[in-house]
């Protein structure tokens, strides 16, 4: 769908939602909506609730710009609804969104395609807590399998911290990951139209790049482009494109890595709907690549499409 076509459509900017990342999503959506209005698009902001299907019909929405983060927005559910309703949308399709959101399944796909991930074990709500989960040795990383923005993530440095960390993660998901801690630099790669735009390094002022560091001004230093040696920089860009591709992602994404002193690139996750707030990394990387925020929004909205082909499309 080209820009001229989209300009003649009514765009619904889907934001808010029902996940733990609701406030972040609202900020992303407001920024995107303002950029679309600035560029002359017919766009309306929609706070997504259980009545979203009826809202889309009532508003006459013809294209959806998805600014949802986390559950019921980034996990393939809203994408499936839009496919059924025949409304083209931004970002990845149903399967890619679901795969990327489930860190456990994504790790299997990444490993099968030669991408390096941290050693891990998977725990479920019914599992008994015991010391075998600390088999990697401390420190460990404990995280929910299906949350974003570092919600429910803990770094565990000693035995007595393990049980509280597991219980915290289980507040957000019945399935959790316990990973070997990897000491490395936080490097994020932005993908647009299936090509890497560039990479940024994040230097958090907290123990790691957690929710507070991500969404509080001044809590992390952003260095763009990431100050990596040229060969390593190009390597992480190519690995970012590969991660995007093997999950079947489309449109845009942000791929997160830890890069060690030895130059090993550990893939953390692919964000199929990266943040679009004032502190978000995707717009910052795009800016360095020559795309202003409104330019980036236009590029993304012009890529809106239905991904499931049928006679009705």
């Amino acid at each position: 769908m080209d820009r001229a076509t989209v300009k003649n459509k009514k765009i619904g900017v889907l934001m808010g939602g029902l996940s733990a990342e609701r406030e972040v999503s609202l900020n992303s959506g407001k920024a995107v909506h303002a950029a679309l209005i600035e560029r002359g698009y017919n766009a309306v902001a929609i706070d997504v609730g259980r009545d979203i299907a009826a809202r889309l019909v009532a508003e006459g929405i013809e294209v959806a710009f998805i600014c949802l983060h986390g559950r019921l927005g980034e996990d393939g559910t809203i994408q499936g609804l839009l496919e059924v309703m025949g409304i083209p949308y931004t970002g990845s399709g149903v399967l890619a969104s679901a795969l990327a959101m489930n860190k456990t399944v994504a790790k299997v796909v990444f490993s099968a395609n030669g991408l390096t991930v941290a050693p891990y074990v998977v725990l479920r709500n019914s599992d008994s807590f015991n010391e075998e989960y600390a088999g990697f040795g401390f420190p460990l990383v404990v995280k929910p399998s299906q949350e974003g923005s570092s919600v429910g993530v803990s770094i565990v440095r000693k035995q007595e911290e393990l049980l509280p960390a597991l219980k915290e993660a289980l507040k957000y998901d019945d399935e959790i990951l316990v990973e070997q801690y990897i000491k490395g630099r936080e490097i994020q790669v932005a993908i647009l139209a299936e090509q890497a735009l560039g990479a940024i390094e994040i230097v958090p002022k907290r123990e790691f790049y957690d929710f507070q560091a991500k969404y509080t001004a001044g809590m992390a230093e952003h260095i763009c482009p990431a100050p990596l040696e040229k060969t390593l920089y190009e390597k992480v860009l190519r690995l970012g494109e590969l991660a995007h591709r093997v999950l079947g992602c489309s449109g845009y994404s942000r791929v997160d890595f830890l890069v060690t002193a030895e130059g090993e690139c550990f893939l953390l996750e692919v964000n199929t709907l990266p943040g679009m707030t004032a502190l978000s990394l995707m717009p910052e990387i795009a800016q360095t690549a020559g795309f202003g925020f409104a330019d980036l929004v236009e590029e993304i909205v012009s890529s809106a499409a239905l991904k499931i082909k049928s006679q009705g499309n």
Side-chain angles (χ1 to χ4, degrees), residues 41-103:
Y41 290 84
N42 179 15
V44 59
I46 298 179
D47 190 343
V48 174
R50 301 285 182 190
D51 62 343
I52 182 58
R55 288 285 309 280
L56 292 170
V57 172
E59 293 282 359
I61 299 303
E62 299 170 284
V63 176
F65 196 121
I66 308 176
C67 288
L68 297 166
H69 305 312
R71 297 285 188 90
L72 302 178
E74 200 169 358
D75 59 359
T77 51
I78 195 74
Q79 291 79 5
L81 174 65
L82 292 168
E83 290 282 352
V84 171
M85 296 182 71
I87 300 174
Y89 57 93
T90 56
S92 295
V94 177
L95 179 59
S97 298
L99 288 174
M101 192 67 188
N102 189 308
K103 297 179 180 66

Side-chain angles (χ1 to χ4, degrees), residues 37-292:
I37 295 299
E38 173 193 323
R39 290 293 172 93
Y41 290 84
N42 179 15
V44 59
I46 298 179
D47 190 343
V48 174
R50 301 285 182 190
D51 62 343
I52 182 58
R55 288 285 309 280
L56 292 170
V57 172
E59 293 282 359
I61 299 303
E62 299 170 284
V63 176
F65 196 121
I66 308 176
C67 288
L68 297 166
H69 305 312
R71 297 285 188 90
L72 302 178
E74 200 169 358
D75 59 359
T77 51
I78 195 74
Q79 291 79 5
L81 174 65
L82 292 168
E83 290 282 352
V84 171
M85 296 182 71
I87 300 174
Y89 57 93
T90 56
S92 295
V94 177
L95 179 59
S97 298
L99 288 174
M101 192 67 188
N102 189 308
K103 297 179 180 66
T104 303
V105 177
K107 280 178 176 288
V108 174
V109 176
F110 295 147
S111 297
N113 285 276
L115 290 155
T116 302
V117 300
Y120 67 98
V121 293
V122 181
L123 308 181
R124 293 177 177 84
N125 200 18
S126 59
D127 293 344
S128 59
F129 297 136
N130 60 61
E131 293 185 10
E132 74 180 51
Y133 302 145
F136 303 127
F138 294 104
L140 299 169
V141 180
V142 175
K143 62 178 70 170
S145 179
Q146 300 188 82
E147 279 293 348
S149 293
S150 298
V151 172
V153 177
S154 303
I155 294 179
V156 178
R157 299 193 177 278
K158 49 191 176 182
Q159 181 66 43
E160 53 266 35
E161 296 174 354
L162 181 57
L163 184 57
L166 292 168
K167 289 183 175 179
E168 177 65 19
L170 284 168
K171 291 178 183 178
Y172 301 98
D173 198 355
D174 289 340
E175 181 177 272
I176 58 178
L177 291 173
V178 179
E179 297 176 340
Q180 180 179 329
Y181 176 80
I182 303 297
K183 183 175 176 57
R185 297 161 68 181
E186 301 252 11
I187 306 295
Q188 280 83 16
V189 176
I191 308 292
L192 182 65
E194 326 324 326
Q195 301 293 318
L197 284 180
I200 191 170
E201 179 174 7
I202 303 304
V203 184
K205 296 184 179 179
R206 294 170 61 81
E207 185 176 27
F208 69 103
Y209 195 43
D210 62 5
F211 188 92
Q212 186 173 346
K214 287 178 178 178
Y215 301 115
T216 306
M219 293 300 293
E221 181 183 3
H222 298 185
I223 308 172
C224 194
L228 300 172
E229 183 271 328
K230 184 174 185 293
T231 301
L232 183 55
Y233 186 86
E234 292 175 350
K235 175 185 175 181
V236 78
L237 294 187
R238 301 291 80 79
L239 291 175
E241 290 176 345
L242 177 59
H244 177 93
R245 186 168 65 250
V246 300
L247 289 183
C249 297
S250 55
Y252 70 119
S253 71
R254 196 193 72 239
V255 188
D256 298 350
F257 292 91
L258 286 173
V259 178
T260 68
E262 296 74 32
E264 194 166 12
C265 302
F266 285 86
L267 176 56
L268 295 177
E269 63 181 321
V270 174
N271 299 272
T272 55
L273 292 174
M276 297 288 282
T277 72
L279 296 177
S280 296
L281 306 181
M282 179 86 191
E284 189 169 351
I285 298 170
Q287 180 73 46
T288 302
F291 291 87

